[in-house]
Amino acid sequence: MLDSPPQPQLPADSDTNNAIVATTRHWLVRAVIGLNLCPFAKSVHVKGQIRYVVSDACDVEGMLAALETELRTLVEADAERIDTSLLIFPHAFADFLEFNDALFFAERLLEQMRLAGELQLASFHPQYQFAGTQPGDIENYTNRAPYPILHLLRESSVERATQAFPDAAEIFERNQETLRRLGHEGWRLWMQEEAERP
């Protein structure tokens, strides 16, 4: 039984970041959009409004520096051009509990920058585990990504999306049921397939 998506091998050439972004984009298209885990994701993907940023951070301090830069970039950007950001950490937080602990400092930074209420954070990790589950439970795969990722979202976009999908509160339960039906082998085969281009 697979406990998480296999961790991709990082290329040792100048195209490393492009390869990391490509792997992340494949996960987004196949899992998040392909399985409809987030009904809000397809629109910004198709419009090219997702910003992908690969951080070279190796610890919490580096993560916070990268996050501060990206928060400022997103809040200053035209929402029609950049609606949301995926901040990817391929060199840090291999341990999920360490990553989970770091989220406390990430949320605190958001508040210190007085951006709470304007931006919000979501998180993904190769070993993501919901409270009350076992590491191998398929339900955890709803939040499992190839790398540790902080997803920066605009509150205004979240509100609009919620209005467009009145059953947004049920998404979590629906996602878990989707993964239960798919199972571990179904997940593995699904993720092996090539992502369709928008």
Side-chain angles (χ1 to χ4, degrees):
M1 179 184 298
L2 295 175
D3 287 344
S4 67
Q7 187 74 7
Q9 294 293 318
L10 300 183
D13 56 37
S14 60
D15 293 330
T16 295
N17 284 1
N18 288 338
I20 292 169
V21 169
T23 299
T24 302
R25 188 178 283 114
H26 177 269
W27 160 77
L28 177 80
V29 172
R30 287 300 290 166
V32 180
I33 296 174
L35 295 175
N36 201 29
L37 300 181
C38 176
F40 322 136
K42 184 174 183 178
S43 175
V44 290
H45 170 68
V46 170
K47 293 176 182 176
Q49 295 172 319
I50 303 174
R51 175 174 155 90
Y52 296 84
V53 179
V54 179
S55 171
D56 60 2
C58 297
D59 52 24
V60 175
E61 184 177 282
M63 178 204 77
L64 293 176
L67 177 58
E68 179 175 357
T69 297
E70 194 56 25
L71 286 169
R72 294 189 190 283
T73 298
L74 185 59
V75 79
E76 293 171 4
D78 178 358
E80 289 298 314
R81 190 172 63 86
I82 304 173
D83 185 78
T84 188
S85 296
L86 293 177
L87 184 53
I88 309 163
F89 298 95
H91 311 296
F93 310 115
D95 181 79
F96 172 64
L97 293 180
E98 181 187 1
F99 179 66
N100 205 38
D101 289 343
L103 296 180
F104 167 80
F105 298 101
E107 292 287 354
R108 191 170 70 175
L109 176 63
L110 189 69
E111 294 177 2
Q112 290 174 339
M113 294 178 68
R114 298 182 179 180
L115 293 176
E118 185 172 356
L119 301 179
Q120 64 175 255
L121 302 175
S123 60
F124 301 91
H125 191 277
Q127 301 290 337
Y128 201 100
Q129 184 177 348
F130 291 106
T133 67
Q134 297 299 312
D137 288 351
I138 191 66
E139 293 86 350
N140 293 315
Y141 284 60
T142 64
N143 281 55
R144 289 194 175 180
Y147 309 100
I149 294 173
L150 288 179
H151 184 192
L152 286 60
L153 304 101
R154 297 178 188 272
E155 289 278 4
S156 57
S157 297
V158 173
E159 290 172 6
R160 283 196 304 273
T162 302
Q163 291 172 0
F165 295 88
D167 64 341
E170 301 173 9
I171 292 174
F172 176 75
E173 293 181 3
R174 189 186 68 211
N175 287 349
Q176 292 197 335
E177 181 56 35
T178 296
L179 268 293
R180 290 189 196 104
R181 287 198 307 269
L182 196 62
H184 289 86
E185 182 63 10
W187 167 268
R188 185 183 67 80
L189 293 173
W190 179 262
M191 294 304 293
Q192 281 181 346
E193 294 184 23
E194 184 176 351
E196 296 181 3
R197 295 187 180 278

